Amino acid sequence: MQAPKIVVIGSLNMDIVIEADRYPQQGETMLGHGIRFLPGGKGANQAVAAARLGAAVTMVGAVGTDGFGQELLHALQAENVGTDAVRIAEQAATGVASIYVCQGDNSIVVLPGANHTLLPAHIDACREVIAAADIVLLQMEIPVDTVAHAAQVAKACGRTVVLNPAPAQKLPEELLHNVDYITPNRTELALLTGRSAEGGELEAAMRELAGMGARHVITTLGAEGSAFMAQEGTLTRVPGYVMEVVDTTGAGDSFNAGLAYSLALGKSLEEAVSFAAKVSALAVTKFGAQPGMPTLQEVLDFNG
Ligand code: RIB
């Protein structure tokens, strides 16, 4: 069987991760346990996760000329992710994420740096790579105009587009019309639709987002699992798994990679969401975003 081809267009960050017992209060200085420098960025995390599952992955993105940029490229290459389409930006530093991990949960501040030098013209230069993909996977840590242009080019080439709308921000209508699958979490769904996505309001919020243009909406719900619907369809819930959580950083990224991989294999949306749920359940059992991504064998062996 040929490996599914996935092109990820998005961010690469060096994650500077500090573990602490709790988050600091405003104005407070407190002690942490240790610091780690780990390859991250939503785009690169999704690329690594898809490659570990067996996809042939090409990364489109940008890093600076600094040492972090080189480390991030090497990390992708070590996972067999193609990096020819990652540009080296002369006048910007590589993206950095400052991450606190407290009792498995995390809070993140990103400095996009070189990620924000990725422009629509760079996407045009990658048209052939995009045209050869089964799935084009996008997130929101590069400029929104670039994401919108990437989706437009991908659709013009007849490709399937998956958009992970993270970090949360309002999205232009023309972008949503070029998206086949959009994967917000509850917070992102609320921001995108301007309405609550809590409890019984989830279905209406998802229907509203589908009405804004995206053909399928998949909402990740943390420990509650996930839910999906097609335009004018009904809501289907997929349960999550109870795991011993070590670090949730990259959980959404692993879900998106699992979804894209499974869809690229031609699976139904329900099968793809169930597969993605297993990938993200395993990802949270290990520390770090990229280091925690499971292999295909680990997913196949996982029985919940
Ligand atoms: O989704 C997790 C990622 O968000 C981290 O790796 C960090 O770099 C930020 O992009």
Side-chain angles (χ1 to χ4, degrees), residues 111-166:
L111 282 180
N115 294 303
H116 272 196
T117 70
L118 194 71
L119 302 176
H122 301 124
I123 303 302
D124 288 335
C126 300
R127 202 181 176 97
E128 265 180 41
V129 176
I130 292 170
D134 295 308
I135 299 263
V136 175
L137 183 51
L138 305 165
Q139 321 75 32
M140 298 306 304
E141 284 186 334
I142 56 174
V144 64
D145 289 353
T146 307
V147 176
H149 189 66
Q152 192 210 318
V153 169
K155 288 319 292 174
C157 296
R159 304 298 91 193
T160 298
V161 174
V162 177
L163 172 64
N164 174 213

Side-chain angles (χ1 to χ4, degrees), residues 18 35 40 55-56 99 126 149 190 209-210 283 299:
I18 295 182
I35 187 164
I99 304 183
C126 300
H149 189 66
L209 183 55
V299 181

Side-chain angles (χ1 to χ4, degrees), residues 13 15 40-42 45 97 99 108 110 141 249-250 253 289:
N13 297 328
D15 289 354
K42 293 186 193 302
N45 295 346
I99 304 183
I108 305 181
V110 173
E141 284 186 334
T249 313
D253 300 328

Side-chain angles (χ1 to χ4, degrees), residues 191-203:
L191 188 132
L192 287 169
T193 57
R195 59 189 297 162
S196 165
E198 294 305 316
E201 294 166 307
L202 175 70
E203 180 160 1

Side-chain angles (χ1 to χ4, degrees), residues 53 183 218-228 236-243 245 250-263 268-285 292-294 298-300 302-304:
L53 294 172
T183 60
I218 301 105
T219 306
T220 52
L221 302 166
E224 288 172 55
S226 48
F228 67 88
T236 304
R237 287 240 184 200
V238 175
Y241 296 93
V242 179
M243 307 299 290
V245 176
D253 300 328
S254 59
F255 183 94
N256 278 275
L259 181 80
Y261 172 80
S262 201
L263 289 172
S268 70
L269 182 53
E270 181 152 16
E271 288 170 317
V273 173
S274 301
F275 182 82
K278 288 187 178 184
V279 178
S280 63
L282 289 166
V284 301
T285 62
M293 298 305 179
E298 286 172 321
V299 181
L300 296 177
F302 177 62
N303 293 315

Side-chain angles (χ1 to χ4, degrees), residues 72-127:
L72 296 182
L73 286 175
H74 291 152
L76 288 180
Q77 288 155 3
E79 300 286 347
N80 294 318
V81 173
T83 57
D84 288 352
V86 178
R87 66 183 297 266
I88 314 283
E90 291 292 331
Q91 272 148 0
T94 298
V96 168
S98 168
I99 304 183
Y100 293 126
V101 173
C102 306
Q103 292 163 19
D105 218 335
N106 65 76
S107 73
I108 305 181
V109 178
V110 173
L111 282 180
N115 294 303
H116 272 196
T117 70
L118 194 71
L119 302 176
H122 301 124
I123 303 302
D124 288 335
C126 300
R127 202 181 176 97

